[in-house]
Amino acid sequence: MNSKPILFNMTAAELEQFVAGLGQPKFRAKQISEWLARGAPDFSVMKNLPESLREKLNESARTMPAAIDKMLESADGQTTKFLLALADGQKIETVLMRTSYGNSVCVSSQAGCAMGCKFCASTLLGLHRNLTMNEMIAQVLVASSHLLKGDSPAPQNKRLASSVEFPPLTRGITHIVVMGTGEPLQNTENLRGFLEYANARLGISWRRMTVSTCGIVPGIRELTEWGRPINLAISLHAPNDALRSALMPINNKYPIAEVLDAAFANSEKTGRQLMIEYILLGSHNDTLQNYGPEQAVELAALLRGKNVMVNLIPMNAVAERDFAAPSGNATHRFQDILINAGVHTRIRRERGADIGSACGQLRIK
Ligand code: SAH
C-alpha cells in the first residue's frame, strides 16, 4: 500500500494546485507533466527541476500508477516480462516483445480474471478488479522507457539507445496487444480510453492495436459501434459448442454462432482481418483426440470464405493445468487442413516461455 498521490492521475489543474501547495510556480506543473507523459518512473529523472524540489516531490508523491516490482528477460533477449505494483498493492504483468516488425507490448486489462478458461493460468485466483485507463497506459510507458533507455539487450534499438538518456515523446513501441491477464471486454470504457490515448498521445496507429476476447458479444458490438480500425482477436479454441463449453465456461452464455456473427460484423465494419486464436492441446498420448483432423475440418467450415487469419497457439505448459503441448507434427497437420480448405492459418511463434510470459502463463506466483 502506498497512499501518496499519483501525479499521472491528476488533471492539469490538479497538478498546478499540487505544485502550488509545495510553494512552486505554475510552470513547474508543465515541466512535471511532460516527464509524466514520458512515463517517468521516479522524480530523479526530472533533470530540469531543482534537486530540492525533486526531493520534496519524492517525499510527497508518486509519478505513475504502476511501478516496476520485478523484471525478467528471456534468454534470447527478445522478451521482457514486467511485474508491476499498483497503488493498492495489486500486482499485474506486462510483456514487451521485440520483433522484426516492431516492438509490441502485451497489456493486461484486469487484475486477475473471472472467465475460468480451463487451460489458462491468469484466471486461477479469480478476478480482483478492472484496471483503470491510466494503469493500462502506464504499462505501455513502462515498457517504452525500458526499451529506449537501452538497459536491456535490444539489438533493433541500439541506435536509439545510444542517443537517448530518457525516452523522448516518440517511442519505440509500435504495437499494442491487449492479450495479457484479464478480459478486456469486461472493461470496455477504460479500454477505449486507453486506446484513444495510445493513438492520440503515443502515436500508435489503430491498425497496430489488437484486442483479444474470449467472446463477450455485447462488448464486441460496442467495439463495432465505436468503429476504430483496431484488430479484433477471438479466442475460439474449439469448433463446436460442446467442446468449447468444456474448455471455456463463457461459451454457455455466448455460443460460437453468436460470437462469430458479432466478430464477422466487426471485421466488415472496420475492414480489418479478423484473428481467430486457436489453442492446440496435446492429449497425454499425443494423438490429439479432441484436436485432430476432424476438428480442423469443422473449424474450416465455420471460417471458410471470411476475412480471417487463424493463429494456432500450441498450448503452453502451465504447472497448474493438465494440458500438454501438441506435437509439432500434429500442429502442422492441423494447419495444412485449414490451408487446403482455403483458410489463412499460421502457427504462433512462442515468445518468452522461459520466463513464464507466453500466452496463458501470466499469473502472480
Ligand atoms: N481474455 C482475453 C485475453 C487474454 S488471453 C482472451 O480470452 O482472448 C490471451 C490468449 O492466450 C487467449 O487466446 C487465451 O486463450 C490464450 N491462452 C490462455 N492460456 C493459454 C495456454 N496455456 N497456452 C496457450 N495459450 C493460452
Side-chain angles (χ1 to χ4, degrees):
M1 277 294 213
N2 189 329
S3 52
K4 288 178 186 172
I6 295 166
L7 302 190
F8 189 78
N9 290 343
M10 292 185 182
T11 63
E14 287 167 347
L15 189 59
E16 275 180 17
Q17 213 180 358
F18 179 81
V19 165
L22 298 178
Q24 293 290 320
K26 260 190 185 173
F27 73 91
R28 294 287 182 214
K30 185 146 186 294
Q31 290 176 318
I32 294 169
S33 73
E34 280 166 8
W35 286 112
L36 295 172
R38 289 164 165 78
D42 54 53
F43 295 103
S44 69
V45 300
M46 302 186 180
K47 298 289 190 211
N48 55 355
L49 305 182
E51 196 173 335
S52 58
L53 175 57
R54 280 187 260 148
E55 273 166 23
K56 247 193 212 172
L57 284 165
N58 196 34
E59 283 157 23
S60 53
R62 295 176 64 183
T63 58
M64 303 299 292
I68 297 181
D69 188 71
K70 262 194 208 119
M71 217 165 61
L72 291 172
E73 299 279 355
S74 67
D76 65 3
Q78 299 302 293
T79 305
T80 308
K81 177 162 87 168
F82 303 90
L83 181 63
L84 303 179
L86 308 180
D88 65 353
Q90 282 297 307
K91 303 269 171 78
I92 59 167
E93 289 171 78
T94 302
V95 182
L96 165 65
M97 292 165 284
R98 304 164 185 86
T99 72
S100 54
Y101 56 83
N103 296 305
S104 186
V105 187
C106 180
V107 172
S108 291
S109 56
Q110 298 182 312
C113 183
M115 296 296 99
C117 298
K118 297 288 188 273
F119 41 78
C120 183
S122 298
T123 195
L124 286 165
L125 297 176
L127 174 66
H128 190 78
R129 67 171 172 84
N130 278 336
L131 299 187
T132 65
M133 161 180 153
N134 283 339
E135 286 166 340
M136 288 189 259
I137 296 169
Q139 294 176 61
V140 178
L141 295 178
V142 163
S144 89
S145 58
H146 174 68
L147 183 70
L148 295 180
K149 259 191 304 188
D151 55 2
S152 66
Q156 298 99 316
N157 288 285
K158 276 245 171 65
R159 192 176 49 79
L160 273 171
S162 61
S163 59
V164 180
E165 192 193 342
F166 198 75
L169 266 167
T170 50
R171 296 171 168 76
I173 301 300
T174 54
H175 293 70
I176 290 176
V177 295
V178 188
M179 288 192 187
T181 301
E183 173 43 53
L185 298 190
Q186 284 201 319
N187 189 13
T188 49
E189 197 182 328
N190 294 333
L191 173 75
R192 284 189 283 116
F194 158 58
L195 296 177
E196 293 279 6
Y197 183 102
N199 181 256
R201 305 282 300 278
L202 309 181
I204 297 174
S205 122
W206 295 116
R207 294 172 173 76
R208 291 176 169 186
M209 301 180 187
T210 302
V211 170
S212 178
T213 178
C214 62
I216 310 278
V217 170
I220 297 172
R221 295 209 184 101
E222 187 182 330
L223 289 185
T224 308
E225 248 161 64
W226 187 46
R228 307 294 189 271
I230 61 169
N231 307 295
L232 178 67
I234 301 290
S235 294
L236 194 65
H237 304 328
N240 59 63
D241 285 323
L243 183 55
R244 191 166 193 265
S245 294
L247 292 171
M248 303 174 70
I250 191 69
N251 195 67
N252 292 305
K253 189 154 183 199
Y254 304 114
I256 292 178
E258 281 178 36
V259 172
L260 288 182
D261 254 13
F264 292 147
N266 177 277
S267 138
E268 271 158 35
K269 166 102 181 262
T270 60
R272 305 299 294 160
Q273 186 174 55
L274 178 67
M275 189 192 292
I276 299 289
E277 290 162 281
Y278 201 94
I279 294 190
L280 291 175
L281 305 172
S283 60
H284 296 302
N285 57 11
D286 215 359
T287 56
L288 293 185
Q289 292 123 344
N290 286 330
Y291 284 80
E294 314 78 56
Q295 276 70 34
V297 171
E298 214 179 340
L299 181 62
L302 291 177
L303 304 178
R304 193 174 289 130
K306 300 292 185 182
N307 182 19
V308 299
M309 169 65 74
V310 176
N311 247 306
L312 297 177
I313 316 176
M315 167 77 192
N316 290 306
V318 175
E320 304 87 339
R321 297 296 201 188
D322 284 340
F323 304 100
S327 73
N329 269 346
T331 303
H332 284 106
R333 185 161 32 104
F334 202 96
Q335 181 186 30
D336 287 345
I337 293 171
L338 285 161
I339 288 177
N340 290 335
V343 179
H344 297 299
T345 306
R346 61 185 177 204
I347 299 169
R348 178 167 298 173
R349 229 198 91 194
E350 188 182 53
R351 292 176 177 284
D354 60 332
I355 52 172
S357 65
C359 284
Q361 292 187 322
L362 297 184
R363 104 292 250 135
I364 310 307
K365 271 203 173 139

